Amino acid sequence: AMVCSAFTGVCIALQPLVIKHIVDMGIANDALSNDQKLRLVLFMCGVYVLMGIVRVLTYRHGYRLLLKSVEGALRDLKSRVFDHVEHMGLRFHSEVSVGELHNCLNGTPISNIRTYLQNVILQVPYQAIAMIISLVALFSYDWVMTLVLLCTVLLMAIMNFFARKKIRKISAEQIQVEKKANHFLVDTLGGMEAVKIYGVEDSFQSKFDHTLKDVHETMVKATLASHKETIKMELAQYIGIAIVYMVGAVSCIYRNSTTGVLYAFLSSMTTILGTLTAWLTMSLTKVSAQSGMDAITRIINREIDVPDIPQEFSKDVVKAYQTMEKKQFSCVEFSDVEFAYADMKIFDGFNCRLRPGESVALVGESGSGKSTFTKLLLRLYDVQDGSVRVFGNDVKDYSVRALRSAFGVVPQNTTIFHGTVWDNIKLACPTATDEEILRAIDMAQMNDFKDSLENGWNTIVGDGARELSGGQRQRIGIARAVLGDPKILIFDEATSALDNVSEKAVQSAMESLMKTHTVIVVAHRLSTIKNVDRILVFSHGQIVEEGTYDALSQKEGGYFYKMLNQ
């Protein structure tokens, strides 16, 4: 693309020379007859048109190559950002808003970078070539007019230098305002059900209008600032051109300069000033692009808080599980674990062991460490000290993908993506066969609501699947969790948001799975954990009691007894 652009620049620079020959060798040449002048002018006009055709076709080919390269570069950049974001732990996602990430991937930063790259790749080469050839030609025409032109160029460059600082500051403000607006928009659209439940549409409309006002004012401010600086340079250019015309007229009148030279000089000058204006404008575009790139690199340069290891260096989960079964050691083990969210300490010297094949319930007040226990198992966060071991190996010895393949997780609210019910189940294991998916459906006890779906498992469910009941969504979550044949199942308050009927359906599926898997249940409703093998009672990051439901419920004065009788 840049080679094509450079060749275009040669054509642009040579076209004024053709004009000079048309005037001096043709129109103003008294040594030729009128017919000879006409033939020469027609020939030179043909050359001029031919150069124009070559210039246009070369530029078009270069532009096609440019689009491929620039859009390819932006595609790779967005892919890299998305990949980096996907591999970040939950600590990162709790600190960086969805709106900010959306803005980095599809907002002003990418748009500014696209504009700048297109200008640099396609315009700079041909403009540089055209400028060099034109400057050489100008000095050969008239050095006095050339000096006047160079003074004009210098003045415009100085004005541009001071303009860049203003534009960069305003561009950074624009990105911040757009980030805030995107954050508000993503939050509001995602929580539209709550907006309607509480009847606060007018309030949110007012907030959105206020946000739009900020975006509007910032956009106007940024555009006007850029336009203002451009106008300053344009005025300087007009003054310089006027002086050049005056000096040119004096040269023609008193210094015997030819009209053809003046025409050629003015044409070349137009090329140079046009190129300079484009470069100075491009430098302002670069400032905006740099602000966008800064926003993106702030994301890319964030260190991954849960560093992964290459798949080839990962411990094999299946072999580790088989070894554990033979040697009969703990399935899960926490050893002297210390962990905190920012300044909030959760675990301090925490220890726990789970046996393979047992069902364990984690209970306790909010913030006691129940959900944190499961998140550390899945390496959604890393411990600050101590170790977490699964099947005898530290979780850090597995690749993140290998480790999480050992778990099936049913969260409190199963996320349903836009697509069919079948695809939402298959999401957990894209390579699963139809037989494996049907087996997972059977294990999740989903068959009883197939007939209520318009097209069975091929029914399209919208974002969030509001047309499905809570129990249906949770059983899709269970099917998704068991699809990959995980060794450990985690139910993180999977029934806490359900009605009694839905809770019984999900509870039945859970209890069936307890017979064949190691199961960890984070429980809010104590009535749902009567049949687990062991209950662990958490308080302030420690296990303060453990035992069966019957034993703990009869222990008067104990933590579990108090929870049960509150």
Side-chain angles (χ1 to χ4, degrees), residues 202-220:
D202 291 344
S203 173
F204 273 78
Q205 180 66 51
S206 177
K207 290 179 181 178
F208 187 57
D209 287 342
H210 181 73
T211 302
L212 287 180
K213 181 182 176 183
D214 289 342
V215 173
H216 167 75
E217 290 177 350
T218 307
M219 288 287 289
V220 171

Side-chain angles (χ1 to χ4, degrees), residues 402-462:
L403 172 68
R404 293 173 188 167
S405 70
F407 294 89
V409 183
V410 184
Q412 183 175 359
N413 294 298
T414 297
T415 301
I416 304 296
F417 296 93
H418 185 82
T420 66
V421 174
W422 185 272
D423 288 338
N424 266 281
I425 297 171
K426 194 175 181 179
L427 173 76
C429 186
T431 60
T433 64
D434 290 352
E435 291 75 14
E436 290 171 334
I437 295 173
L438 290 171
R439 185 164 62 249
I441 289 172
D442 187 57
M443 294 173 71
Q445 300 185 16
M446 288 178 59
N447 289 305
D448 63 337
F449 71 83
K450 180 180 180 181
D451 292 338
S452 66
L453 300 174
E454 183 179 357
N455 296 309
W457 303 136
N458 291 319
T459 301
I460 298 290
V461 289

Side-chain angles (χ1 to χ4, degrees), residues 3 10 169 171 262 325 333 335 346 348 410 431 531 544 563:
V3 170
V10 174
K169 181 180 178 182
S171 294
L262 181 60
E325 284 188 314
E333 182 178 355
S335 300
I346 301 297
D348 187 5
V410 184
T431 60
N531 297 322
V544 292
M563 292 170 61

Side-chain angles (χ1 to χ4, degrees), residues 190-337:
M192 193 54 71
E193 184 175 342
V195 172
K196 292 184 177 299
I197 288 173
Y198 296 110
V200 289
E201 290 92 342
D202 291 344
S203 173
F204 273 78
Q205 180 66 51
S206 177
K207 290 179 181 178
F208 187 57
D209 287 342
H210 181 73
T211 302
L212 287 180
K213 181 182 176 183
D214 289 342
V215 173
H216 167 75
E217 290 177 350
T218 307
M219 288 287 289
V220 171
K221 180 181 177 182
T223 305
L224 285 179
S226 180
H227 187 62
K228 178 182 176 182
E229 299 305 325
T230 302
I231 288 175
K232 289 180 182 178
M233 291 183 286
E234 194 172 343
L235 289 174
Q237 178 180 327
Y238 290 152
I239 294 171
I241 290 174
I243 296 174
V244 167
Y245 273 113
M246 184 181 66
V247 173
V250 171
S251 295
C252 288
I253 296 171
Y254 296 105
R255 297 174 56 217
N256 298 320
S257 183
T258 67
T259 307
V261 167
L262 181 60
Y263 274 127
F265 186 94
L266 295 177
S267 183
S268 295
M269 180 186 70
T270 302
T271 298
I272 290 176
L273 290 178
T275 297
L276 178 67
T277 302
W279 283 4
L280 296 181
T281 303
M282 195 185 307
S283 69
L284 300 182
T285 306
K286 179 185 177 183
V287 170
S288 299
Q290 187 62 55
S291 297
M293 198 64 198
D294 288 344
I296 292 173
T297 52
R298 277 196 296 271
I299 300 297
I300 293 178
N301 290 339
R302 284 283 293 265
E303 185 177 349
I304 294 179
D305 48 355
V306 182
D308 202 359
I309 61 174
Q311 197 72 26
E312 59 267 25
F313 298 119
S314 170
K315 296 282 188 180
D316 188 293
V317 169
V318 175
K319 290 182 179 178
Y321 182 78
Q322 293 171 345
T323 302
M324 177 206 67
E325 284 188 314
K326 290 177 182 178
K327 297 185 177 181
Q328 296 185 336
F329 49 73
S330 299
C331 178
V332 169
E333 182 178 355
F334 282 66
S335 300
D336 300 322
V337 167

Side-chain angles (χ1 to χ4, degrees), residues 41 90 296 370 489 493 522 540:
V41 168
L90 289 186
I296 292 173
K370 307 184 302 295
L489 292 175
E493 300 192 15
V522 179
H540 301 292

